[in-house]
Amino acid sequence: MTPKFLLARLRGTSGPFRGLCLLLALAFLLGGGARADIQSLVVLRPCAILLLFYGLARLDRSQIAANRFVLATTVLVLLLMGLQLVPLPPSLWGALPGRDLVRDIDQVAGLGAVWRPLSLAPDATLNALLAALVPCAALVLGVQLGARERHMLIWPVLLFGGLSAVLGIAQLSGPSEGALYLYKVTNNGAAVGLFANRNHQALLLAALLPVLAVWAMDRASDGSRSSFRGLLAVLAGASLLLLILVTGSRAGLLLGACALLLLPLIFPRLVARLVVRERASARARRWVPLALAGAVAGMALLAALAIWRGRGLAWERLLGTAAGDDIRFAIAPTVLGMVRSYLPFGSGLGSFERVFQMHEPDALLRPNYANHAHNDWLELALTGGIPALLLLAAALVAYVSRGRALFAPALAGCAELPLARLGMAVVALAAIASLGDYPLRVPSLACFFMVGALWMSCPLGKNRPSDQPS
């Protein structure tokens, strides 16, 4: 994709679309890590806030009404973080669960009656609030896009996803601590691409698989499909699967498998035709099984070659033959106990690192510290309490309801149905990844998640020809 091609794609688009493309560019190039001390955030966050104000200034009532649930949920999330920063009277604060240690320190130190916010780490909660403004800007800009522009978001996603993949390959070819690694604290020697963490790179690569599928099935203006685009998508998908294997991310192997399993859900009618062979010609009946078998055999061969060459790091880590010490499972019982201790209001969003140090048992002390619970579902319960869980439950109900609607027989001919199902797959992959990591704390992945949510919620009114697979 040359600059001339990209400029041609932008011609005739709206201001919010261009603003969202700019935000995605900034997020992927400057926001590939979740740490609060990343210097590039000094540029990314102010730019995101400016774009947020720009989007709010252009937002009209019809757009708010059409997206009232997601906008209201976003406002409630920001309000929850803001309320956690409001100082409380000492008597009320002292009655909150989990504040015994701080209350005893205040008494021993003779500090007297101190007004404190609900959050036990208010600066971390403030950082979480500022971090949330980046995907909020993507949402506010995105709800103003038309159907064509929402579909065009596939292009910047493929562009920056491809750039991250190419950079990951280059990182494997160079020194483990070379200049191609963009962040000081990173997984040196792994193909992290535009990210600091190999798990986040693996999530992006896995999510690109369904994006490529929808891109490959797009029809041209005359209703035809490009066989070259389909071939290119297959080759790119195979390369992505191989790159996931060499990132060293065990979660990436699971996400890659999940992405492949989600592909038939995007085009179920097409898969049904291939399986049942209702309309398949004699040649198709012979070649489809052979093509599938060849693809599986080719990927197995590539995987074996990668492992034999010593680059199948994810597989080695899965088998326990690679160096590394995983604390995810070790800290889980302690975190579960902390959740019970801080309910119903939580310890404050973003406060995990410091609160865990208050409860960390001696047996878990090691050179590496736990910056997160490595399970964002569990960490949300700890830091956000019942209010955050209620918001999460509402989002899950909305997701399931929308997902059921996307498979209603009455919508089988809608033009935007594959795009909506693609958004459903992107959101599902992010949710699965959050079981063992914290991907949505990374600005670029948070914005990508918002794009997926926008795809999933796109209007489904315009019909396509009856033979279009959906």
Side-chain angles (χ1 to χ4, degrees), residues 96-99 118 120 331-349 351-352 355-360 372-390 392 441:
L96 295 174
R99 271 68 180 178
L118 183 147
L120 287 171
I331 68 174
T334 302
V335 176
L336 283 171
M338 292 168 61
V339 171
R340 292 189 291 267
S341 300
Y342 286 95
L343 287 178
F345 300 109
S347 62
L349 292 166
S351 65
F352 175 84
V355 173
F356 182 78
Q357 292 172 358
M358 297 166 54
H359 298 266
E360 186 175 15
H372 289 287
H374 291 277
N375 183 327
D376 253 2
W377 297 79
L378 192 59
E379 185 169 337
L380 184 65
L382 167 63
T383 58
I386 297 298
L389 291 178
L390 290 175
L392 178 60
R441 300 178 188 272

Side-chain angles (χ1 to χ4, degrees), residues 110-128:
L111 297 179
V114 180
W115 286 58
R116 297 182 184 276
L118 183 147
S119 174
L120 287 171
D123 57 332
T125 302
L126 177 60
N127 175 69

